[in-house]
């Protein structure tokens, strides 16, 4: 795989949110407005880039048995740094993201990329992979936020849209709207890709829920093939 | 006392962790297919939430705050929770093997469950006292349990339904979750008015 493919796969073919279904919690929670979606995407991308680079650099040093705790500590360190930076330079964003900013620590995308990619590849590929995945995550968030903010609030990035802002569908910015938009977007993606998701080849091993979840979704797909 | 009841009820119904705060979506979508798995997972979550709060609250109040180390919250909490879960697993395996058998598979994956880390951090940011924090954790856990059990019922109905191909699997599950969460919106405002 050359570096261009490596970069592009995160945006489309292996989009972390819409195809691999990782990091659903922040996706649903912060996609109420485009602004907070961009903020979340940027914060998570920075953490992903830093953690991928460092984990890739240390891949021969970290003992295999304790690798997950090591990754979590590294990731938590970077999240704390990002948290402090956001608090200092963008307090309004800190307010909008709230609890979801520290919760980047347990975002499956970051641990998943560390486990699936960074600990097997060199620093340059890991960095490119992280940038691609980060952009894919941000794009998916912004796409979802666009639907929710335009329909639910009648605005886009704070800009008022004439007819819609007089008749906002408030439910779209609330919890049910998040699930609904996400479900429909995933159905559209499944339709476009013909239902051939590469989830098994990528997603499960990196997800801590794989042991239990694997019995339900992933393995069934595998068996069906 | 009234305050404790209000915290409890709002944690279970109004601010339901899964359906209105979007925490713990991974197990909600992954493990809710069968009722017994859903119950096992939820009991493990309640258990770990209570333990995690009991462990992290004193750490924050007596270790981090007096030493001005509040910014280390994220790292310290995730480490405390991870160690705690590991410890609980070892203790259960040695002394209560039957319980370990039913909860064992769920315990390790709870470490990186955002609902558990979320509840410990929210307890601090909301400024709860220790008793309030424990009640909030119990309520959040029960709310998670309620959502899981309800949703596993919804999903078993979906199994026999004739669903368009593109919607099969996760998309229809999410649409169903949307409607379930819509039903929980009905609770907003109820709890505050109950005791007003």
């Amino acid at each position: 795989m050359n570096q261009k493919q490596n970069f592009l796969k995160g945006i489309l073919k292996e989009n972390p949110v819409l195809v691999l279904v990782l990091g659903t919690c922040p996706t649903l929670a912060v996609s109420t407005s485009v602004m907070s979606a961009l903020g979340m995407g940027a914060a998570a991308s920075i953490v992903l880039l830093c953690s991928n680079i460092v984990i890739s650099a240390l891949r021969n040093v970290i003992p295999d048995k304790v690798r997950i705790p090591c990754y979590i500590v590294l990731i938590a360190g970077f999240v704390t740094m990002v948290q402090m930076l956001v608090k200092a330079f963008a307090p309004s964003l800190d307010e909008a993201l709230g609890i979801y900013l520290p919760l980047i620590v347990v975002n499956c995308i970051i641990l998943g990329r560390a486990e699936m990619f960074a600990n097997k590849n060199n620093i340059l590929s890991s960095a490119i992979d992280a940038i691609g995945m980060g952009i894919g995550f941000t794009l998916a968030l912004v796409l979802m936020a666009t639907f929710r903010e335009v329909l639910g609030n009648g605005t886009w990035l704070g800009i008022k849209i004439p007819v819609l802002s007089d008749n906002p569908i408030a439910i779209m910015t609330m919890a049910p709207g998040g699930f609904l938009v996400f479900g429909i977007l995933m159905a559209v993606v499944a339709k476009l890709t013909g239902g051939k998701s590469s989830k098994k080849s990528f997603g499960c091993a990196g997800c801590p829920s794989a042991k239990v979840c694997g019995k339900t979704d992933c393995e069934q797909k595998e068996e069906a093939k | 006392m009234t305050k404790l009841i209000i915290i409890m009820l709002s944690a279970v119904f109004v601010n339901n962790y899964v359906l209105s705060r979007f925490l713990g979506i991974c197990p909600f979508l992954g493990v809710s297919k069968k009722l017994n798995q859903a119950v096992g997972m939820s009991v493990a979550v309640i258990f770990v939430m209570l333990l995690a709060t009991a462990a992290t609250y004193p750490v924050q109040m007596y270790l981090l705050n007096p030493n001005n180390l509040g910014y280390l919250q994220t790292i310290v909490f995730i480490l405390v929770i991870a160690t705690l879960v590991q410890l609980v697993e070892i203790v259960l395996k040695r002394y209560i093997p039957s319980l370990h058998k039913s909860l064992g598979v769920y315990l390790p994956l709870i470490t990186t469950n955002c609902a558990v880390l979320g509840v410990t951090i929210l307890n601090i940011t909301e400024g709860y006292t220790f008793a309030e924090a424990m009640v909030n954790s119990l309520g959040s856990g029960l709310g998670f349990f309620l959502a899981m059990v309800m949703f596993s019922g919804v999903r078993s109905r979906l199994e026999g339904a004739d669903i368009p191909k593109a919607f099969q699997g996760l998309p229809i599950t999410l649409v169903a979750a949307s409607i379930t969460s819509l039903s929980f919106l009905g609770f907003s405002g109820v709890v505050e008015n109950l005791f007003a």
Side-chain angles (χ1 to χ4, degrees):
Chain A
M1 192 190 284
N2 63 34
Q3 299 295 15
K4 198 180 155 202
Q5 275 174 322
N6 184 17
F7 173 70
L8 287 174
K9 75 175 189 298
I11 300 175
L12 290 170
K13 216 176 95 209
E14 291 184 9
N15 186 293
V17 178
L18 295 169
V19 181
L20 306 166
V21 205
L22 294 169
T24 38
C25 305
T27 308
L28 289 164
V30 304
S31 60
T32 48
S33 78
V34 177
M35 197 60 224
S36 53
L38 280 173
M40 184 71 193
S45 303
I46 292 169
V47 174
L48 181 57
L49 181 61
C50 296
S51 76
N52 253 16
I53 289 174
V54 172
I55 287 167
S56 168
L58 295 176
R59 68 186 185 280
N60 297 325
V61 183
I62 296 174
D64 206 39
K65 266 193 176 157
V66 291
R67 65 184 192 286
I68 300 279
C70 293
Y71 297 163
I72 291 180
V73 175
L74 282 171
I75 294 168
F78 288 121
V79 169
T80 308
M81 276 156 55
V82 169
Q83 221 180 329
M84 291 166 87
L85 287 173
V86 171
K87 272 207 176 96
F89 294 107
S92 60
L93 184 64
D94 181 55
E95 197 120 302
L97 296 180
I99 179 92
Y100 300 99
L101 195 56
L103 286 183
I104 295 176
V105 179
V106 286
N107 188 324
C108 311
I109 297 174
I110 292 163
L111 198 59
R113 284 333 276 173
E115 177 76 3
M116 297 297 300
F117 199 92
N119 71 356
K120 299 188 193 80
N121 291 281
N122 62 37
I123 297 176
L124 183 66
S125 322
S126 300
I128 291 171
D129 172 78
I131 296 172
M133 285 288 159
I135 292 176
F137 179 63
T138 313
L139 282 180
L141 274 179
V142 170
L143 182 67
M144 261 192 75
T146 301
F147 280 106
R148 291 182 71 185
E149 199 186 328
V150 166
L151 291 174
N153 211 10
T155 57
W156 193 81
L157 206 59
I159 306 159
K160 273 198 172 169
I161 296 165
V163 185
L164 287 168
S165 61
D166 298 329
N167 311 294
I169 312 167
I171 197 88
M172 296 305 276
T173 54
M174 289 193 259
F179 283 115
L180 189 68
V181 171
F182 195 28
I184 292 174
L185 272 183
M186 273 174 65
V188 171
V189 169
K191 186 83 189 166
L192 291 179
T193 56
K196 273 178 274 165
S197 88
S198 50
K199 183 164 171 66
K200 183 65 195 178
S201 64
F202 163 96
C204 286
C207 175
S209 315
K211 251 188 203 160
V212 184
C213 166
K215 290 265 173 266
T216 57
D217 269 10
C218 302
E219 267 176 28
Q220 271 177 6
K221 267 185 200 157
E222 188 75 342
E223 279 161 17
K225 271 175 198 168
Chain B
M1 192 61 206
T2 334
K3 197 175 176 209
L4 291 185
I5 298 173
I6 293 180
I7 289 177
M8 177 86 176
L9 288 177
S10 19
V12 177
F13 295 110
V14 185
N15 295 323
N16 189 287
Y17 260 61
V18 179
L19 295 168
S20 70
R21 277 204 174 130
F22 299 124
L23 295 171
I25 299 287
C26 299
F28 179 66
L29 295 176
V31 202
S32 66
K33 220 165 192 181
K34 293 199 187 74
L35 184 62
N36 57 351
Q37 278 188 346
V39 171
M41 180 76 196
S42 320
V43 172
V45 165
I46 297 177
F47 187 61
V48 174
M49 269 186 177
L50 282 173
L51 273 177
T53 306
T56 52
Y57 192 90
V59 167
Q60 173 81 24
M61 289 302 153
Y62 299 112
L63 197 64
L64 296 185
N65 282 356
N67 296 314
N68 276 329
L69 293 172
Y71 61 89
L72 285 179
Q73 192 190 46
T74 317
I75 302 185
V76 170
F77 277 23
I78 190 93
L79 278 180
V80 168
I81 294 172
T83 335
L84 192 74
V85 172
Q86 221 31 262
L87 195 72
V88 168
E89 207 193 344
I90 294 169
V91 171
L92 281 185
K93 204 173 187 175
R94 173 71 181 79
Y95 293 104
I96 324 173
S98 59
L99 192 64
H100 179 259
K101 221 177 165 188
S102 51
L103 294 188
V105 274
Y106 305 108
L107 282 176
L109 63 98
I110 287 175
T111 317
T112 48
N113 180 339
C114 43
V116 174
L117 185 62
V119 82
T120 53
I121 295 178
L122 274 177
N123 280 334
I124 306 296
T125 48
E126 295 279 325
Y128 287 146
T129 64
F130 186 68
E132 287 167 352
M134 289 305 281
V135 168
N136 185 42
S137 309
L138 181 63
S140 308
L142 288 176
F144 184 82
F145 179 85
L146 182 70
M148 288 287 276
V149 170
M150 263 178 60
F151 199 58
S152 72
V154 173
R155 282 190 85 166
S156 69
R157 285 300 184 99
L158 280 178
E159 301 238 308
D162 184 21
I163 299 156
K165 194 161 181 299
F167 268 96
Q168 274 168 16
L170 267 181
I172 193 68
T173 313
L174 284 163
V175 174
S178 162
I179 297 168
T180 318
S181 122
L182 196 62
S183 70
F184 269 72
L185 269 190
F187 288 114
S188 55
V190 170
V191 174
E192 285 80 1
N193 292 330
L194 214 58
F195 297 96

